[in-house]
Amino acid sequence: MKIEDILAQERRARMAAERLLAQKQAELSDANRILSLHALSLSDEITETREVVEEIKGENTQVRADLERANKEVVIAKRRLWDSLETIEDGFAVFDQTDRMIAANSAYLKPFDGLTCVAPGVRYVDILNIATEEGIVDIGDLRPLAWRDMMLARWHAPKRDPLNLRLWDGTHIRLIDRRSRDGDMVCLGLNITETITYQTKLKEARHRAEAANRAKSAFLANMSHEIRTPMNGVVSMAELMAESELDDEQRLYVDTIRKSGEALLTIINDVLDYSKIEAAKLALHPEPFDLEKTILDVVTLLQPTVQEKGIQLSIDFDLFMPTKFMGDAVRLRQILTNLIGNAVKFTSEGHVLVRAIGLPADDDKDYRVHLSVEDSGIGIPKDMQAHIFGEFNQVEDERNRRYEGTGLGLAIVKRLVKLMDSEIWLESEEGEGSCFGFNISLPALEHVVEPNLPDTPGKAVLALTDGLNKAILEKRLRALGFEVTLTSATANLMDICHGARLVFVDEALCPTTPLDSHPLRNLNATFPDCDLILLTPPQKREPDCGCTALTAFTLHTPVLRTELFDTLNRLGHAPAPTTWPPAASAPIAEPLPVSDTQAKVAARQMRVLAAEDNKTNQLVFSKLVKSLNIDLRFANNGLEAVEAFLDFKPDLIFMDISMPEVDGKEATRRIRLIEQDQNMPRTRIVALTAHAMPGDAEEIMAYGLDNYLTKPLRKPVIFDEIMESCPEGATPPMDDV
């Protein structure tokens, strides 16, 4: 091979090697560049990682600091909690789900002082055993095992009521145990020793107060009885003297005695009733009663004052409302007595009107009865109307300082009305008069049927003076369909009575002419089919004009609705009693002829026995009934009353309650037993007593009495009892019956 070829090959080899070297250098350069970039990236990552690590180190340091601070706070809070639990006197403990003690404060462990076994880890049942074995707990009459079983049953019950325990040293503990949602039991032992001690003292104080209250009640009852007994003699004798012939000066003395006695009794009643209400001892006692008659009784008692003042007192009772209800007639009468009595007291001229209106409930059994008392008296200023219902409050001004009273009447009325689930309201204009009213719900004992009157009942004539009685009677007659003609004198009766079926004549309008020339006799002769009805004041039993022989009936004003319907029915001007009114009597039948033997049997006097140990009261009672045709006998005590019942066989017994040897309650009980054993008819026994405290009536009536009347004795009430109890086999106690 030529040298040139060899040199060419070496040149080509060298060039190839150089190209390869350049290529490798380029590749190495690229690799170095890539490595440099990677190193740079890695350096950045290392830097970032270092920063993150440093940040994490900082956070870990903060977390460790926070954790250390939190641990310190937990320790402090736990120490404070237990320090707080240690400072209180009440015990605190926690038990786990296996009933082992986890922790307890010193107050919980104090009863077990010296017993090292009672500590965290002890079981609850072991605590119970230790408590009984060591006599720590007073378990009473229970055996230790029974007491432990009772406590365990309570511990495992779904709900645990607080339990009071008494420890050996007299400490009283109330256990309150609650189970948490995790099953742990949290126990509290409250030291209630001071509370128990206070309750014991309070109970002793209450017993002493009740004893003092009983002594006070006994004193009030005794005081009431002791005052009423002599006041019966004073007031009753004054009333009897007032009926006799007296000159003006003597009548003034008698009226002063009577009014002073009645004022004293009113004060006594107000104080006794209010003391009972204040003690919350007064309760309602519902019983069947006649509402219209109750109102009339109050009105009748006030008639002497009404007549003396020359005012008119009237009753407007709803024509289509029943009168027999179930309610507390005693308290309702007390309310009406206060309201009507106040109206009469503060009215010097004009009228007092008692209005009763009823609306049936949906069931047609209960009635919402609206009662109001309206007067034309002095009235009450607007700014004083709320004041008068307060205790011992009266309107003080120069007009009414002359009116006496305790200032308790309206306060008692307000309390009683509230007791009946109602409120009293007042409307008044100073100088114009006042109107007090209230609503009460009363169950009706009778059903009112709309009257089925004929289309043309007829014509009626009212010969009355102007006043409320005329307006009320006129309204009732027109409601029954009568055509009513009014006149103010009897002189023109002949001119207006053509076609009249009824003529009502006021006694005040009757002339005092002899009967043979009396205008009513001429009216009877001219219109024989016309019935004359005489109207007289309520307290009069015989009209002064002496014209009862010329009239068919006598009605007392204000006229009771039932008496009006009864009179119309008797005269044939009203429907049968099956339709209206419910309590109306049947028409009077002609008397049947009687034999001489029957006449002799019927000629005996009515026998009345009065059991009364006080000689003054015996004198008062005998004088009250001296005008009656009765056989009256007195018994000086309950034992004599029982003996007189067997010997005298009375038709009616008036029984005093407080009597020596045997009191009236025991005497009545013995009489009822005799009637039962010997199959005798029941004799009506009426209590006449000075016991007038609230609740006395119920206690007395429980011994078998039929009625309860308080002293001082009221002549009209005594007369009504005697008249209603007169048997068929006796002559009427009064000649005009």
Side-chain angles (χ1 to χ4, degrees):
M1 175 180 292
K2 295 178 177 181
I3 190 74
E4 294 86 357
D5 293 336
I6 294 172
L7 291 172
Q9 285 182 341
E10 289 179 357
R11 191 171 49 249
R12 287 193 294 271
R14 188 173 60 251
M15 292 176 64
E18 289 177 355
R19 287 194 297 271
L20 180 62
L21 179 61
Q23 181 181 355
K24 293 301 182 182
Q25 287 178 345
E27 290 179 356
L28 180 60
S29 177
D30 289 338
N32 287 333
R33 183 176 55 79
I34 292 172
L35 182 60
S36 177
L37 292 174
H38 181 68
L40 181 62
S41 175
L42 184 61
S43 177
D44 292 340
E45 288 182 2
I46 290 173
T47 301
E48 292 177 358
T49 302
R50 185 180 294 112
E51 292 176 354
V52 171
V53 169
E54 291 297 330
E55 184 179 351
I56 290 174
K57 285 182 178 179
E59 290 179 353
N60 287 341
T61 302
Q62 183 66 33
V63 169
R64 284 195 298 271
D66 292 343
L67 184 60
E68 290 177 1
R69 185 170 59 254
N71 287 334
K72 290 180 181 179
E73 290 177 354
V74 169
V75 172
I76 293 173
K78 183 177 180 180
R79 186 176 65 251
R80 287 175 177 173
L81 174 62
W82 281 104
D83 287 346
S84 300
L85 293 175
E86 288 292 340
T87 57
I88 63 176
E89 296 182 0
D90 299 323
F92 175 83
V94 180
F95 293 79
D96 63 15
Q97 299 179 17
T98 62
D99 297 340
R100 290 185 179 275
M101 182 188 292
I102 299 174
N105 68 350
S106 300
Y108 191 91
L109 300 175
K110 183 178 180 180
F112 307 96
D113 187 24
L115 300 174
T116 57
C117 56
V118 181
V122 67
R123 296 184 306 165
Y124 182 71
V125 65
D126 294 333
I127 294 177
L128 297 179
N129 289 330
I130 293 172
T132 55
E133 291 171 0
E134 298 293 334
I136 295 174
V137 178
D138 182 4
I139 62 176
D141 297 332
L142 291 177
R143 292 180 294 106
L145 185 59
W147 183 83
R148 189 200 67 178
D149 292 342
M150 178 195 72
M151 295 295 291
L152 285 176
R154 175 183 177 276
W155 182 265
H156 295 294
K159 183 179 180 182
R160 288 152 298 279
D161 295 328
L163 177 67
N164 293 344
L165 297 178
R166 185 176 184 273
L167 304 185
W168 66 274
D169 59 353
T171 303
H172 292 269
I173 303 296
R174 168 166 289 189
L175 296 182
I176 301 176
D177 305 318
R178 295 289 184 271
R179 193 172 293 278
S180 68
R181 288 177 293 181
D182 298 331
D184 293 343
M185 184 72 80
V186 180
C187 303
L188 290 176
L190 305 179
N191 191 331
I192 59 172
T193 305
E194 292 185 2
T195 302
I196 295 296
T197 303
Y198 175 76
Q199 290 178 347
T200 302
K201 293 181 179 179
L202 191 63
K203 186 181 296 184
E204 293 174 354
R206 185 174 66 250
H207 289 330
R208 290 194 298 269
E210 290 175 350
N213 188 57
R214 286 192 297 269
K216 182 195 74 172
S217 299
F219 169 75
L220 289 175
N222 185 64
M223 180 188 71
S224 172
H225 180 272
E226 293 303 318
I227 292 178
R228 285 176 180 276
T229 299
M231 287 307 299
N232 175 56
V234 173
V235 176
S236 299
M237 281 299 185
E239 290 179 347
L240 290 172
M241 289 178 64
E243 296 178 0
S244 61
E245 295 183 2
L246 303 172
D247 58 34
D248 293 341
E249 186 176 6
Q250 291 172 332
R251 188 166 300 279
L252 175 62
Y253 296 160
V254 171
D255 288 344
T256 302
I257 295 172
R258 178 179 58 82
K259 290 179 181 178
S260 299
E262 291 177 347
L264 178 59
L265 289 173
T266 300
I267 293 173
I268 294 171
N269 291 336
D270 285 349
V271 172
L272 295 180
D273 284 342
Y274 192 76
S275 64
K276 203 72 172 181
I277 293 174
E278 280 292 286
K281 296 293 183 66
L282 193 145
L284 299 179
H285 300 281
E287 60 182 5
F289 77 103
D290 189 315
L291 177 59
E292 190 176 14
K293 188 176 184 300
T294 299
I295 298 174
L296 183 68
D297 289 344
V298 176
V299 169
T300 302
L301 289 176
L302 293 171
Q303 279 298 327
T305 306
V306 169
Q307 280 199 324
E308 180 181 325
K309 302 184 75 170
I311 61 177
Q312 192 170 28
L313 177 56
S314 302
I315 303 173
D316 186 6
F317 198 91
D318 190 346
L319 195 65
F320 302 108
M321 181 177 71
T323 185
K324 301 294 179 60
F325 293 99
M326 176 68 72
D328 193 327
V330 175
R331 295 304 165 195
L332 190 59
R333 182 181 290 108
Q334 185 176 5
I335 293 172
L336 292 172
T337 300
N338 272 297
L339 293 181
I340 302 173
N342 275 353
V344 171
K345 179 166 66 173
F346 294 105
T347 302
S348 57
E349 60 182 14
H351 70 274
V352 174
L353 174 62
V354 185
R355 196 185 305 274
I357 302 173
L359 296 175
D362 295 336
D363 57 4
D364 204 23
K365 293 181 180 179
D366 291 353
Y367 265 74
R368 192 65 181 171
V369 180
H370 172 87
L371 293 166
S372 62
V373 179
E374 169 193 322
D375 66 69
S376 59
I378 63 175
I380 303 169
K382 293 291 184 183
D383 58 342
M384 299 299 295
Q385 291 183 9
H387 172 78
I388 62 172
F389 290 102
E391 294 82 359
F392 308 100
N393 290 344
Q394 291 176 311
V395 179
E396 295 291 342
D397 59 33
E398 60 275 4
R399 294 181 308 153
N400 64 354
R401 284 176 186 155
R402 64 182 182 274
Y403 300 112
E404 299 176 349
T406 61
L408 285 174
L410 289 178
I412 294 173
V413 167
K414 184 178 180 180
R415 297 288 188 96
L416 292 177
V417 170
K418 185 177 181 180
L419 198 62
M420 296 178 181
D421 296 325
S422 182
E423 291 184 0
I424 189 167
W425 52 265
L426 164 65
E427 293 179 0
S428 181
E429 290 289 338
E430 189 174 4
E432 300 294 331
S434 305
C435 183
F436 291 83
F438 60 96
N439 299 298
I440 54 174
S441 292
L442 295 174
L445 299 181
E446 60 184 3
H447 181 67
V448 174
V449 181
E450 294 291 339
N452 185 21
L453 292 169
D455 294 335
T456 56
K459 178 182 178 182
V461 173
L462 293 180
L464 293 168
T465 56
D466 292 335
L468 290 175
N469 288 329
K470 179 195 72 173
I472 294 170
L473 185 55
E474 177 189 0
K475 181 179 71 173
R476 289 179 172 179
L477 292 174
R478 291 190 188 278
L480 294 174
F482 286 94
E483 177 186 349
V484 180
T485 302
L486 303 178
T487 182
S488 59
T490 56
N492 58 348
L493 284 178
M494 298 294 292
D495 299 331
I496 63 175
C497 283
H498 291 282
R501 301 179 62 188
L502 294 171
V503 175
F504 294 85
V505 181
D506 191 348
E507 179 192 349
L509 297 179
C510 284
T512 57
T513 57
L515 290 182
D516 54 357
S517 61
H518 201 282
L520 296 184
R521 177 178 292 278
N522 298 333
L523 187 65
N524 275 333
T526 306
F527 307 106
D529 296 331
C530 180
D531 294 314
L532 300 180
I533 300 175
L534 189 66
L535 301 172
T536 67
Q539 74 277 11
K540 288 192 176 182
R541 294 194 172 269
E542 286 190 13
D544 295 334
C545 62
C547 58
T548 52
L550 305 176
T551 56
F553 277 97
T554 298
L555 292 178
H556 301 296
T557 58
V559 179
L560 274 177
R561 184 193 59 174
T562 51
E563 292 182 358
L564 173 64
F565 286 125
D566 185 56
T567 301
L568 295 177
N569 187 49
R570 289 168 180 262
L571 295 174
H573 297 297
T578 55
T579 57
W580 181 266
S585 304
I588 299 176
E590 291 295 330
L592 297 175
V594 295
S595 62
D596 294 339
T597 303
Q598 291 173 324
K600 291 180 181 178
V601 172
R604 78 166 180 87
Q605 290 179 309
M606 177 184 178
R607 294 185 289 267
V608 177
L609 173 64
E612 173 61 68
D613 64 307
N614 187 283
K615 297 300 182 182
T616 300
N617 289 339
Q618 289 184 7
L619 175 62
V620 169
F621 190 87
S622 63
K623 295 299 182 181
L624 282 175
V625 300
K626 67 178 181 179
S627 62
L628 299 180
N629 182 23
I630 60 173
D631 185 3
L632 176 64
R633 179 180 296 186
F634 285 102
N636 295 308
N637 54 58
L639 188 61
E640 290 186 12
V642 177
E643 295 173 352
F645 168 75
L646 294 171
D647 176 53
F648 187 48
K649 294 181 175 56
D651 302 306
L652 174 64
I653 301 176
F654 289 102
M655 183 74 71
D656 186 25
I657 299 303
S658 295
M659 292 186 294
E661 297 189 32
V662 175
D663 65 14
K665 294 181 289 188
E666 176 62 20
T668 301
R669 190 186 68 83
R670 295 184 185 183
I671 290 174
R672 295 306 184 209
L673 289 176
I674 294 173
E675 291 175 340
Q676 183 178 358
D677 293 341
Q678 300 184 14
N679 197 24
M680 300 171 63
R682 183 183 177 94
T683 302
R684 184 172 178 82
I685 304 178
V686 178
L688 287 183
T689 177
H691 291 282
M693 289 285 289
D696 287 343
E698 293 77 7
E699 179 191 358
I700 292 173
M701 296 288 284
Y703 283 82
L705 288 101
D706 298 293
N707 199 6
Y708 169 87
L709 302 177
T710 59
K711 296 174 182 177
L713 308 181
R714 301 294 181 180
K715 188 174 182 179
V717 179
I718 300 296
F719 275 39
D720 289 341
E721 280 289 347
I722 294 175
M723 299 299 295
E724 293 176 3
S725 301
C726 182
E728 295 182 357
T731 55
M734 295 184 66
D735 295 335
D736 59 344
V737 176

